[in-house]
């Protein structure tokens, strides 16, 4: 299971995420338009698998989790950034394995497709070893 899917499952039930609608990237369900609540979209941007020479124990996998936050029309970029702060703190709290090693935020800008402000967070994750099988 990808880290993004795991965090999505946990975030839906976190008290700080109440009032947000959590969705998975690529999910076939259509979002309502216009948006009525902030939407938090979990996805995976990159997964790399590498075999290390001389290491017969498994594969090293690295992953970058993305979280896109979109707020309804009528809310400004400041509100979008506040939502991002809330989501970041909640996800750090839910990271039981302490895999999150870096967080970066893209520019908060108006998204013409969803007709609201949006920004994308990228969570760099500690590599994990997958046993060959």
């Amino acid at each position: 299971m990808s880290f993004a899917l795991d965090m999505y499952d946990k975030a839906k039930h976190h008290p700080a995420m109440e009032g947000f609608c959590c969705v998975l990237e690529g999910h076939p369900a259509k979002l309502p338009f216009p948006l009525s609540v902030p939407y938090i979209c979990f996805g995976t941007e990159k997964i790399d698998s590498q075999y290390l020479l001389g290491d017969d124990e498994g594969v090293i996998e690295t992953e970058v989790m993305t979280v896109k936050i979109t707020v309804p029309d009528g809310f400004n970029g400041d509100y979008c950034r506040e939502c991002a702060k809330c989501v970041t703190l909640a996800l750090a709290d839910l990271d039981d394995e302490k895999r999150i090693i870096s967080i970066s935020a893209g520019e908060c800008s108006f998204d013409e497709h969803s007709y609201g402000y949006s920004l994308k967070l990228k969570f760099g994750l500690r590599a994990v070893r997958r046993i060959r099988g």
Side-chain angles (χ1 to χ4, degrees):
M1 177 187 305
S2 79
F3 187 76
L5 180 58
D6 188 36
M7 292 304 276
Y8 161 76
D9 286 336
K10 291 178 181 179
K12 292 187 301 185
H13 307 292
H14 192 278
M17 302 291 282
E18 191 174 314
F20 296 142
C21 180
C22 295
V23 296
L24 277 174
E25 184 176 70
H27 191 271
K30 291 185 178 185
L31 299 180
F33 187 81
L35 300 179
S36 57
V37 297
Y39 276 80
I40 314 301
C41 181
F42 290 80
T44 300
E45 187 167 281
K46 180 174 119 178
I47 295 181
D48 285 330
S49 299
Q50 300 176 9
Y51 293 100
L52 299 177
L53 287 175
D55 184 356
D56 293 332
E57 293 186 27
V59 178
I60 302 295
E61 289 184 347
T62 57
E63 180 179 353
V64 174
M65 178 179 73
T66 60
V67 177
K68 185 175 180 183
I69 299 159
T70 306
V71 299
D73 184 31
F75 292 96
N76 60 19
D78 290 338
Y79 178 68
C80 186
R81 285 185 285 277
E82 281 299 314
C83 289
K85 181 179 177 182
C86 180
V87 168
T88 300
L89 292 173
L91 294 181
D93 183 46
L94 292 169
D95 184 17
D96 299 329
E97 299 173 27
K98 303 301 178 207
R99 288 207 44 214
I100 298 172
I101 58 173
S102 68
I103 304 169
S104 64
E107 182 181 348
C108 182
S109 60
F110 190 78
D111 182 2
E112 293 180 8
H113 297 289
S114 60
Y115 208 68
Y117 279 88
S118 182
L119 71 82
K120 187 177 196 178
L121 300 169
K122 291 185 180 182
F123 293 81
L125 305 175
R126 179 177 44 82
V128 295
R129 181 179 298 276
R130 302 285 182 218
I131 305 299
R132 285 189 196 179

